[in-house]
């Protein structure tokens, strides 16, 4: 870790390093496929309503339970709505939840990890014990409990997922800070009178970013899975807004007569999460192979 | 050793105390009056006052927490708003169903992860390693509730081999119990097993690189013996640790899967409590999950000494 940290000292040409990382990720063919899938998802999230062949709430009762065909690629649901259009448009919700929820955990977790690791002592003890406590709950259960308090809905689901994944960022960040803060360049900066804030922002943060970036990619996968699970339980996205988890929840009663209602939304979640995981793994291999055990210790939602 | 056990148990108790505080604090954030919400249309002043007083909600917060904690220590977690039953009794009634599901799921997870991880590590870079990696990547990415739906479509709707949902206690009819537990346990087990596979692989790879393993191979011991006696033994501690940590994932999976398969365990109870806004029951159920998790991890830590004689306390 220390070798790696010192090799990433602020003096190192950052642009070249980024280029090298990108090249390593792109050399992994599976990761390229994952990136293409993610690019397609971003397009769906941005232009879903324009690309969808039917309106997401266009009810055509006479067309209900149509099996997949050229007219309706993924069939129609119990109200005759086009499943393909709904799956396409729901990409936005998933990516939005993923990005905002992980954004919350990232900011909160990294801040707590930086402070705990840098100051050590009692602050470290208190922060990390609270993180341990949050870790003692199964992630989805904690999210359910938070949503029970805040009430169901998209915004609250993002907050709940954000809180649930904060401890992993705090732990990873703190572990890296502990090794970086003793580096020569940090001590040198301190000796010339740099303030704590300056040390943290300019010298420590840039050198603990690698494992955090990797964790961000993997957490996006977990966050999307969690949102889907919460929506599936009826606690996340509320109708009529389409969400993959909610579509499975609504389609659950019709699976026997319309298998496509249960298959395609789930497939969308699966492919998205798989793509994030593959890209995350490739980034980890490129950026930070040593962090493997720490990152995987959380598993999925 | 005794000192270590005490210290470790003390730490777990402190975390549990914190967990109880978090759960208690969460319940205070509930907008509105939980008793009023729970009563809903059945509201009448008398019941309302009785429930509030019974739950101690007319006291200041620190007093409420101290009371809650004191009662919890004697096994009293309050009374369900909905059923009027003691929370502890409801939890204990549901615990066996959850433990049996989690136990069988963990067994399935290990039956997947250990052989697959071993094959993957010992044939690192070969086709079987690749297949194992792809399997674990798929298992990690598949939503458990979706897998449950697919399994029901296949084994219940199409093939008609297994019941779609429900629970039969083992003591009543072991065969029927098995028929009912297969689908939920496979759902949870495959997901956890996929995650564990990666750890088994890396633990075995690391263990294979140790010097004593190289010596054992060099002195001509047969490969299977080296694997069994030296490699696996060295890999056991990290595998056990991760299995303990993974229990949180597994228990989380149990919550979702219990809802889908109408499995009358703690997960289903928690979900129903949330839906009914039955806060004392929810508080108790969440606390119970965390306590089970902490207890298992404590046991895992204590098992180290038995498994790895190098660890001294």
């Amino acid at each position: 870790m220390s070798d790696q940290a010192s090799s990433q000292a602020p003096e190192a040409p950052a642009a070249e390093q980024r280029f090298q990382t990108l090249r390593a990720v792109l050399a992994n063919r599976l990761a390229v496929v994952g990136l293409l899938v993610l690019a397609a998802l971003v397009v769906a999230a941005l232009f879903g309503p324009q690309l969808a062949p039917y309106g997401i709430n266009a009810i055509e009762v006479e067309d209900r339970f149509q099996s997949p065909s050229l007219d309706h690629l993924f069939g129609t649901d119990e109200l005759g709505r086009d499943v393909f259009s709904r799956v396409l448009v729901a990409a936005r919700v998933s990516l939005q939840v993923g990005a905002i929820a992980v954004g919350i955990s990232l900011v909160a977790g990294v801040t707590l990890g930086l402070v705990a690791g840098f100051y050590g002592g009692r602050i470290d003890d208190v922060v990390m014990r609270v993180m341990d406590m949050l870790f003692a709950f199964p992630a989805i259960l904690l999210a359910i409990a938070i949503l029970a308090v805040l009430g169901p809905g998209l915004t609250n689901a993002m907050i709940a997922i954000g809180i649930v994944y904060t401890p992993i960022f705090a732990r990873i960040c703190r572990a890296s800070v502990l090794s970086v803060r003793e580096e020569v360049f940090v001590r040198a900066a301190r000796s010339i009178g740099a303030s704590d804030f300056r040390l943290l922002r300019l010298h420590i943060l840039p050198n603990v970013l690698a494992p955090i970036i990797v964790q961000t990619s993997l957490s996006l996968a977990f966050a999307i899975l969690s949102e889907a699970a919460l929506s599936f339980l009826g606690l996340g996205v509320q109708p009529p807004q389409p969400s993959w988890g909610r579509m499975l929840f609504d389609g659950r009663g019709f699976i026997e007569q319309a298998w496509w209602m249960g298959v395609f939304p789930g497939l969308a979640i699966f492919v998205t999460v798989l793509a994030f995981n593959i890209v995350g793994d490739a980034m980890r291999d490129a950026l930070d192979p040593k962090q493997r055990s720490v990152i995987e210790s959380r598993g999925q939602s | 050793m005794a000192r270590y056990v005490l210290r470790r148990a003390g730490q777990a108790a402190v975390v549990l105390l914190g967990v109880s505080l978090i759960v208690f604090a969460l319940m205070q954030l509930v907008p509105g009056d939980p008793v009023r919400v729970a009563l809903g249309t059945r509201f009448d002043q008398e019941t309302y006052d009785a429930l509030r007083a019974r739950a101690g909600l007319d006291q200041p917060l620190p007093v409420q927490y101290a009371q809650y904690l004191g009662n919890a220590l004697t096994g009293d977690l309050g009374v369900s708003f909905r059923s009027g039953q003691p929370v502890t009794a409801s939890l204990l009634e549901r615990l066996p169903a959850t433990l049996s599901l989690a136990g069988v799921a963990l067994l399935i997870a290990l039956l997947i992860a250990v052989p697959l991880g071993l094959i993957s590590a010992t044939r690192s870079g070969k086709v079987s390693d690749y297949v194992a990696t792809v399997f674990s990547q798929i298992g990690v990415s598949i939503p458990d509730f979706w897998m449950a739906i697919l399994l029901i479509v296949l084994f219940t709707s199409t093939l008609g081999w297994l019941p779609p949902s429900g629970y039969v206690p083992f003591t009543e009819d072991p065969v029927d119990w098995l028929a009912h537990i297969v689908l939920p346990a496979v759902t949870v087990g495959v997901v956890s097993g996929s995650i564990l596979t990666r750890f088994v692989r890396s633990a075995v790879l690391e263990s294979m690189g140790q010097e004593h393993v190289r010596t054992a191979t060099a002195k001509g011991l047969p490969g299977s013996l080296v694997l069994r006696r030296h490699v696996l033994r060295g890999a056991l501690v990290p595998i056990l640790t991760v299995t303990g940590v993974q229990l949180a994932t597994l228990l989380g999976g149990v919550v979702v899967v219990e809802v889908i398969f109408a499995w009358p365990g703690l997960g289903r109870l928690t979900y129903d409590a949330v839906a009914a806004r039955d806060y004392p029951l929810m508080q108790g159920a969440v606390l119970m999950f965390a306590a089970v998790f902490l207890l298992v991890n404590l046991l895992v830590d204590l098992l180290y000494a038995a498994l790895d004689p190098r660890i001294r306390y």
Side-chain angles (χ1 to χ4, degrees):
Chain A
M1 191 68 215
S2 60
D3 288 349
Q4 187 202 6
S6 52
S7 71
Q8 286 181 0
E11 303 87 282
E16 190 184 319
Q17 223 170 54
R18 272 201 291 272
F19 179 68
Q20 272 175 3
T21 307
L22 187 69
R23 212 167 45 182
V25 172
L26 291 181
N28 181 336
R29 250 181 273 170
L30 211 55
V32 174
V33 176
L35 281 172
L36 287 176
V37 171
L38 294 183
L41 274 166
V42 172
V43 171
L46 290 175
F47 307 108
Q50 287 77 28
L51 292 172
Y54 298 88
I56 50 166
N57 288 313
I59 296 171
E60 295 289 343
V61 181
E62 59 274 23
D63 280 346
R64 67 201 185 121
F65 297 132
Q66 297 263 323
S67 55
S69 63
L70 280 178
D71 277 343
H72 297 283
L73 282 178
F74 292 175
T76 62
D77 67 7
E78 79 280 14
L79 298 172
R81 294 175 298 190
D82 182 50
V83 175
F84 176 71
S85 303
R86 292 177 65 78
V87 167
L88 195 69
V89 173
R92 181 178 295 183
V93 170
S94 282
L95 290 192
Q96 189 189 352
V97 172
I100 297 179
V102 173
I104 294 172
S105 345
L106 185 73
V107 173
V110 169
T111 310
L112 289 170
L114 277 177
V115 169
F118 185 73
Y119 291 104
R122 198 160 288 175
I123 296 178
D124 184 25
D125 274 349
V126 171
V127 170
M128 294 324 287
R129 287 305 80 73
V130 173
M131 295 296 116
D132 283 352
M133 286 161 197
L134 288 178
F135 248 138
F137 297 97
I140 194 77
L141 189 74
L142 184 58
I144 290 174
I146 295 171
L147 280 177
V149 172
L150 299 178
L154 181 62
T155 313
N156 290 343
M158 293 192 277
I159 297 173
I161 298 169
I163 295 174
V164 167
Y165 289 106
T166 296
I168 185 77
F169 280 99
R171 273 194 183 182
I172 289 174
C173 180
R174 172 185 175 269
S176 307
V177 171
L178 285 182
S179 61
V180 173
R181 72 170 184 190
E182 301 306 331
E183 291 288 335
V184 178
F185 63 88
V186 176
R187 276 186 283 161
R190 195 196 298 271
S191 70
I192 58 168
S195 68
D196 286 356
F197 182 69
R198 191 181 163 85
L199 280 177
L200 280 170
R201 193 171 61 91
L202 287 181
H203 300 280
I204 292 182
L205 187 61
N207 288 293
V208 298
L209 275 183
I212 294 168
I213 292 171
V214 174
Q215 183 58 37
T216 304
S217 172
L218 295 173
S219 292
L220 281 168
F222 302 147
I224 288 172
L225 263 182
S226 302
E227 180 276 319
L230 291 173
S231 293
F232 179 76
L233 294 173
L235 293 166
V237 175
Q238 301 297 309
Q241 191 173 24
S243 126
W244 295 330
R246 182 76 204 194
M247 287 170 80
L248 285 176
F249 174 77
D250 292 337
R252 199 156 52 125
F254 307 106
I255 301 283
E256 287 195 24
Q257 55 198 113
W259 57 266
W260 51 91
M261 284 176 69
V263 168
F264 291 112
L267 197 64
I269 305 170
F270 172 58
V271 170
T272 307
V273 172
L274 189 63
F276 273 115
N277 275 335
I278 288 173
V279 173
D281 273 357
M283 277 166 62
R284 175 178 54 201
D285 291 344
L287 274 171
D288 194 24
K290 288 178 194 169
Q291 279 294 321
R292 195 173 189 103
S293 58
V294 182
I295 287 156
E296 283 182 349
S297 67
R298 186 51 176 164
Q300 67 164 120
S301 61
Chain B
M1 180 72 190
R3 259 183 69 189
Y4 175 76
V5 173
L6 276 178
R7 207 182 69 214
R8 209 35 210 86
Q11 281 172 352
V14 171
V15 174
L16 190 61
L17 191 74
V19 163
S20 74
L21 189 64
I22 291 177
V23 175
F24 182 81
L26 259 179
M27 298 306 145
Q28 305 311 315
L29 295 174
V30 174
D33 183 338
V35 180
R36 185 148 202 158
V37 171
L39 281 175
T41 50
R42 299 174 303 156
F43 179 83
D44 73 82
Q45 195 61 39
E46 207 173 308
T47 325
Y48 174 79
D49 291 340
L51 264 178
R52 261 186 83 83
R54 205 161 161 191
L57 293 173
D58 44 359
Q59 307 281 331
L61 278 184
V63 178
Q64 280 186 41
Y65 177 64
Q67 267 174 0
Y68 179 73
L69 206 61
N71 290 338
L73 285 175
T74 58
D76 175 10
L77 290 168
V79 175
S80 158
F81 281 164
R82 275 281 146 132
S83 64
Q85 299 278 318
V87 170
T88 315
S90 304
L91 294 178
L92 290 180
E93 195 192 331
R94 301 293 192 101
L95 191 62
T98 293
L99 287 184
S100 64
L101 177 56
V104 177
L106 185 63
L107 188 72
I108 293 173
L110 288 173
L111 283 176
I112 293 171
V114 173
L116 215 58
L118 262 178
I119 291 172
S120 188
T122 50
R123 297 183 193 155
S124 179
K126 301 217 173 105
V127 176
S128 38
D129 179 22
Y130 187 72
V131 171
T133 309
V134 169
F135 170 84
S136 79
Q137 190 67 271
I138 289 175
V140 170
S141 307
I142 201 165
D144 40 16
F145 49 92
W146 186 52
M147 192 161 99
I149 291 175
L150 295 182
L151 288 176
I152 293 175
V153 168
L154 181 63
F155 288 102
T156 305
S157 312
T158 312
L159 298 170
W161 290 355
L162 294 165
S165 60
Y167 168 72
V168 174
F170 181 78
T171 45
E172 231 167 67
D173 184 347
V175 177
D176 216 14
W177 169 81
L178 192 66
H180 281 88
I181 208 170
V182 169
L183 292 186
V186 164
T187 307
V188 180
V190 165
V191 173
S192 287
S194 313
I195 301 170
L196 278 177
T197 302
R198 295 174 164 208
F199 289 105
V200 174
R201 181 178 182 273
S202 53
V204 170
L205 273 178
E206 196 170 325
S207 178
M208 276 164 60
Q210 299 279 325
E211 282 182 7
H212 69 274
V213 173
R214 215 179 331 152
T215 311
T217 315
K219 76 178 181 189
L221 278 185
S224 60
L225 197 66
V226 175
L227 200 64
R228 226 179 28 244
R229 199 179 285 172
H230 298 280
V231 175
L232 261 186
R233 210 162 164 172
L236 218 49
V237 169
I239 292 174
L240 196 69
T241 313
V242 173
T243 308
V245 175
Q246 274 304 310
L247 198 80
T249 311
L250 196 139
L251 288 175
V254 165
V255 176
V256 179
V257 166
E258 279 186 0
V259 173
I260 301 173
F261 288 99
W263 192 262
L266 281 177
R268 176 88 215 183
L269 186 75
T270 316
Y271 179 71
D272 290 342
V274 170
R277 294 178 166 254
D278 189 341
Y279 294 106
L281 189 57
M282 199 177 105
Q283 204 169 10
V286 173
L287 205 58
M288 182 74 125
F289 264 107
V292 168
F293 173 71
L294 287 172
L295 187 71
V296 170
N297 276 286
L298 178 65
L299 292 177
V300 165
D301 271 11
L302 299 181
L303 258 177
Y304 287 166
L307 283 173
D308 191 340
R310 285 171 305 180
I311 297 175
R312 288 274 168 265
Y313 303 107

